[in-house]
Amino acid sequence: MLKSERMSKAVIISPKSYQSKIVKELYNLKAIHILNHLKDEMDIGNPLPNASAISETLISVRAIISNLNLEGDVALRNGFRAIGVKNFAHLASTVKKLQEQTNTQLEKIRQTENAISGNARAISLLEKIEALRLPLDACSPYKSLAVFAGDVEAPQTLAKGMQQITDEFELRQSEKTMALFVARPYEARAEELLAKHNFSEMDLSHITGLKGEPAEQIRKLAAELEKSEKSLREAKKAIESLGNKWHDFLILSEKFLSAELEKAEAPLRFAASQNIIVITGWVPTKYTGKLTETIAKITEGHAEMEVSKPSHDDSVPVKLANAKLSKPYEFLLNLYALPKYSEIDPTLFLFLTFPLFFGIILGDIGYGLVILALLFYMPKKYPGMKPIAKIMLPAALSSVIFGFLFGEIFGFEELLGFHLPHVLSRIHQVREMLAFSVFIGLLHINLGLLLGFVNELEHGLRKALLAKGSWWLLQISILGIWLTASGQIALPIYASIAAAIISAALIYMGESITGIIEIPGLISNLISYTRLAAVGLASVGLAVVVNSFMEDFINAGGIMAVAGVTIGIFGHALNIALGLLGGFLQSIRLNYVEFFTKFFKGGAVPYYPFGKKLDEAAQ
Amino acid sequence: MAEAGLVAIGAGLALGLSAIAAGMAEQQIGAAAVGAMAEKSETFGRGLILTVIPETIVIFGFVMAFLIIGIAE
């Protein structure tokens, strides 16, 4: 329980002919964390023959999913049957057909959209020409006349400017739009003048070939536009209905094919020669028997499997193994780091201390009950909150328990004339609360040192004594100095000081200079635990303030009483929210900063067995 | 009575100033931690630890404030 799942290293050596059978079985067993083979004297294996077909279909499926904008999740169970196909060939051909249908509709959408934008542009051009009161063919080029059609700035001065050049021109204007017909010899000068007016020419290519009155053409184009828009709507609807109809099929196929592809490409992770394959991986020790049996059965005894214990320099993947109650707290541990294989898994201690700290900080019967109620209600409404709720449930219970110990309910010590009994009053016995907090800190830190001692034992008793035992000697000598200085024991004070110096030297030998730097840290770590009292006191303070406001308003009577109740509800809601946040952060911080630093290093690779992907797809 | 007022001011300063100090220390760490978390969400734990380390300053302030009141009594 204090260590992660025990692992064994498995090496499977088998004739190549059994490769696909072995892959299939390993995938179903979901027990082996395969170590990728790096090319050395042995080459890596080749993917199974169906890999390229699978990956091709998978790419198509993903393309369709993105084209149809599909979202949402469906749990994959029962492989082909859930998808509704007979076999891989059936799946591939269905996907191919579906892709053709999708592409046809997408192409239709693209073309219609082009047509619509072309039409819209032509219509706006025609409207301009109509405003100039010109027939359509007037704009096509002439032998003796140059034509300029477009938009200009300061159109009112244009005619005057032209008159200074020549009278052989005709100008049609409508607001900023104009058409200018000028005799060829004056073309260059007219162009110059237009440039001064920031002339921008109309692109007439959209209406080439159109003849007759602009108004008539506009009507024609508008009718076409309406038709295109209708067919665009139809195509989009077709895409949408394709998406609705095939949603589950596509999502399931994607998951199924990803899993199949993982299987087909697994040999890339094996070592292989011409005739044999070698698979190396980590297996939970309790599954090794079953694995050996399975391999022997499917290869008819032709494969060899070696199982060995992990050695010192192996980086073993870690699978946490905690009991049901403490399991939710693995979440808090994962936020920090995964313990190394050889280290103690501190989840159990998180499970014990997190609720304890939370309870001390937010020890109030009322607040605890409100949080309990929230914890029962919220996960039903928001299933995503379940893991947090499981962590908070013991914490809320602890809040209620400490509420009884502190004799507090919603900040009141007295309710309806009945004085709540208490073991320790947070408001009136602050000094005792502070001492209690530091005492808890002392226990917690020394528990951390003890765990560190156990972790260090791996490097030998000497190392463990130097690195962690020296801290206990230091604490004892500090206690000695204090007791002698205050005259409680009759011992020469030098003895204790000498012991302190010796322990500092031992710390230096065990943990080098960082250990020495950490010595003042021991004191600040201890004082840090006073937050249990301090944050709690702040929370009580706020509750008392809310209550006194509420009482004053209620005593005033009438409408003021209503205001008083409102203040009470909102005030306590705010205080509970603050308390939840503060209590959570402070409790986890004391574990992360003060506790973990005494023993925990972490940083292991998570155990991810071959085949787990399919498990995840089924959720 | 005047002395009691001075004691209260002293205690208030001890707590208030250390709270400001903690805030100043935490603002940059917090910003950096959130930045790191945006890039790599698994840095949450480490980021949280680094962010709350200066919080101890306020706790020191609280203890000092409490001691000041205690001495005056």
Side-chain angles (χ1 to χ4, degrees):
Chain A
M1 204 194 281
L2 286 178
K3 289 262 175 143
S4 55
E5 184 78 55
R6 295 297 88 188
M7 295 278 173
S8 295
K9 194 175 203 170
V11 180
I12 303 167
I13 305 165
S14 153
K16 217 170 199 173
S17 48
Y18 294 107
Q19 179 166 266
S20 52
K21 260 187 178 173
I22 291 179
V23 167
K24 200 177 155 206
E25 277 308 313
L26 290 183
Y27 205 80
N28 290 341
L29 271 179
K30 298 180 183 67
I32 188 165
H33 175 110
I34 297 177
L35 286 176
N36 294 349
H37 175 71
L38 300 173
K39 199 170 167 175
D40 45 30
E41 59 265 39
M42 263 190 112
D43 214 337
I44 56 172
N46 291 320
L48 299 182
N50 58 352
S52 68
I54 294 173
S55 83
E56 222 169 84
T57 313
L58 179 59
I59 289 170
S60 300
V61 169
R62 287 188 177 149
I64 303 173
I65 288 178
S66 107
N67 281 332
L68 297 182
N69 276 326
L70 296 187
E71 275 165 11
D73 206 2
V74 190
L76 173 67
R77 294 195 183 94
N78 298 332
F80 284 125
R81 215 180 322 144
I83 305 173
V85 289
K86 285 182 232 117
N87 49 32
F88 179 72
H90 187 193
L91 177 63
S93 69
T94 315
V95 168
K96 205 167 177 192
K97 251 185 256 161
L98 189 55
Q99 192 172 29
E100 273 163 19
Q101 284 178 35
T102 319
N103 285 350
T104 318
Q105 294 302 333
L106 286 177
E107 180 60 22
K108 198 170 157 194
I109 289 180
R110 203 181 57 81
Q111 279 176 358
T112 332
E113 274 175 346
N114 278 348
I116 289 175
S117 79
N119 266 359
R121 237 174 279 158
I123 288 178
S124 91
L125 268 180
L126 287 169
E127 277 168 350
K128 282 181 175 177
I129 292 170
E130 191 189 16
L132 295 173
R133 299 172 309 281
L134 282 171
L136 276 173
D137 41 9
C139 296
S140 37
Y142 301 87
K143 213 179 238 175
S144 57
L145 282 176
V147 186
F148 300 96
D151 292 336
V152 287
E153 277 172 17
Q156 56 281 30
T157 58
L158 190 61
K160 219 183 244 172
M162 277 309 295
Q163 271 157 12
Q164 282 167 7
I165 301 170
T166 170
D167 337 318
E168 290 177 50
F169 75 95
E170 174 154 3
L171 182 64
R172 294 279 179 95
Q173 280 181 306
S174 157
E175 293 180 9
K176 282 187 167 182
T177 315
M178 61 104 230
L180 174 67
F181 303 85
V182 64
R184 283 279 176 202
Y186 307 102
E187 184 181 353
R189 289 181 65 190
E191 213 166 326
E192 250 169 58
L193 177 73
L194 284 172
K196 277 183 200 155
H197 285 265
N198 274 340
F199 172 63
S200 72
E201 195 170 8
M202 286 185 210
D203 179 8
L204 297 176
S205 65
H206 292 288
I207 53 166
T208 37
L210 296 183
K211 290 226 161 61
E213 284 301 312
E216 192 187 320
Q217 292 295 342
I218 289 175
R219 269 195 300 280
K220 247 190 192 162
L221 284 176
E224 258 173 50
L225 189 68
E226 207 170 296
K227 234 163 110 193
S228 305
E229 272 169 355
K230 197 179 157 206
S231 80
L232 179 66
R233 273 198 300 275
E234 277 167 9
K236 280 191 172 162
K237 222 175 180 180
I239 283 281
E240 207 186 299
S241 71
L242 270 179
N244 288 337
K245 188 176 167 197
W246 294 97
H247 177 273
D248 288 8
F249 169 82
L250 286 165
I251 301 283
L252 288 173
S253 301
E254 200 271 340
K255 285 181 172 181
F256 178 75
L257 289 169
S258 314
E260 286 297 309
L261 187 64
E262 198 191 12
K263 262 194 250 180
E265 287 183 339
L268 291 170
R269 306 165 74 184
F270 305 161
S273 72
Q274 196 117 40
N275 298 315
I276 60 161
I277 50 164
V278 181
I279 305 168
T280 314
W282 292 100
V283 186
T285 307
K286 58 184 180 196
Y287 295 144
T288 46
K290 197 173 173 201
L291 184 66
T292 320
E293 216 175 275
T294 316
I295 295 289
K297 202 169 130 199
I298 55 172
T299 59
E300 292 138 338
H302 287 104
E304 192 67 38
M305 187 168 137
E306 282 168 27
V307 177
S308 58
K309 283 198 165 160
S311 75
H312 258 303
D313 31 278
D314 275 330
S315 98
V316 189
V318 163
K319 180 186 185 219
L320 298 178
N322 283 292
K324 203 177 161 213
L325 266 178
S326 55
K327 193 141 191 89
Y329 285 79
E330 287 176 1
F331 173 80
L332 291 181
L333 186 65
N334 279 324
L335 282 182
Y336 187 88
L338 205 55
K340 287 203 176 110
Y341 182 72
S342 56
E343 277 185 314
I344 287 175
D345 165 16
T347 309
L348 181 67
F349 300 103
L350 278 178
F351 167 66
L352 295 174
T353 57
F354 180 85
L356 175 76
F357 294 162
F358 189 88
I360 297 176
I361 291 173
L362 204 70
D364 187 298
I365 303 169
Y367 286 3
L369 290 176
V370 170
I371 295 170
L372 271 180
L374 279 177
L375 288 177
F376 280 111
Y377 169 73
M378 293 300 268
K380 281 194 188 123
K381 192 129 196 240
Y382 309 100
M385 291 195 53
K386 244 182 204 156
I388 293 281
K390 278 187 185 157
I391 294 171
M392 292 307 292
L393 201 66
L397 281 173
S398 156
S399 254
V400 177
I401 293 168
F402 275 96
F404 278 108
L405 291 179
F406 296 147
E408 282 173 36
I409 180 161
F410 291 111
F412 290 111
E413 293 190 291
E414 208 183 274
L415 205 63
L416 307 170
F418 175 72
H419 191 87
L420 287 166
H422 60 74
V423 180
L424 187 71
S425 162
R426 288 201 284 184
I427 311 166
H428 306 297
Q429 292 169 284
V430 180
R431 195 184 291 265
E432 286 80 356
M433 267 306 289
L434 287 176
F436 174 61
S437 309
V438 173
F439 177 67
I440 294 231
L442 202 63
L443 292 182
H444 200 216
I445 285 177
N446 279 299
L447 175 64
L449 287 172
L450 180 66
L451 297 181
F453 185 82
V454 176
N455 276 343
E456 290 289 346
L457 272 181
E458 199 200 348
H459 302 119
L461 183 64
R462 197 185 109 91
K463 170 80 176 148
L465 280 173
L466 282 177
K468 302 295 168 187
S470 53
W471 287 96
W472 288 319
L473 184 60
L474 180 72
Q475 287 178 53
I476 293 167
S477 42
I478 291 174
L479 182 72
I481 293 173
W482 183 59
L483 286 179
T484 37
S486 59
Q488 295 187 50
I489 50 171
L491 233 152
I493 196 156
Y494 305 107
S496 302
I497 293 177
I501 293 171
I502 290 170
S503 53
L506 292 177
I507 288 173
Y508 179 76
M509 285 163 72
E511 297 194 315
S512 78
I513 194 74
T514 47
I516 300 292
I517 296 170
E518 280 289 312
I519 290 177
L522 188 66
I523 310 292
S524 74
N525 278 172
L526 278 177
I527 298 178
S528 187
Y529 280 86
T530 57
R531 76 185 60 232
L532 292 176
V535 179
L537 192 60
S539 153
V540 182
L542 209 54
V544 169
V545 169
V546 170
N547 287 342
S548 77
F549 263 133
M550 186 168 71
E551 277 170 357
D552 287 352
F553 272 91
I554 289 176
N555 289 340
I559 188 89
M560 294 299 239
V562 180
V565 173
T566 317
I567 287 174
I569 290 170
F570 277 97
H572 283 299
L574 177 75
N575 202 16
I576 288 172
L578 282 176
L580 265 173
L581 187 70
F584 182 88
L585 280 180
Q586 305 298 348
S587 308
I588 197 68
R589 176 227 144 95
L590 284 177
N591 274 299
Y592 283 174
V593 182
E594 275 78 17
F595 185 52
F596 280 7
T597 48
K598 301 290 173 291
F599 66 97
F600 191 61
K601 291 193 182 73
V605 187
Y607 167 74
Y608 194 91
F610 183 57
K612 195 183 173 191
K613 207 173 197 172
L614 204 62
D615 259 1
E616 287 169 349
Q619 275 165 15
Chain B
M1 203 55 214
E3 253 178 43
L6 285 176
V7 167
I9 288 174
L13 282 177
L15 186 53
L17 289 177
S18 56
I20 291 173
M24 282 162 71
E26 267 181 38
Q27 62 168 350
Q28 293 191 11
I29 307 171
V34 171
M37 236 156 68
E39 296 257 337
K40 261 178 99 181
S41 55
E42 60 268 28
T43 54
F44 173 81
R46 300 270 153 126
L48 180 70
I49 296 160
L50 291 173
T51 311
V52 298
I53 280 176
E55 207 153 274
T56 314
I57 301 173
V58 194
I59 306 293
F60 290 163
F62 167 77
V63 173
M64 286 318 292
F66 184 75
L67 288 180
I68 291 170
I69 294 174
I71 288 164
E73 279 169 358

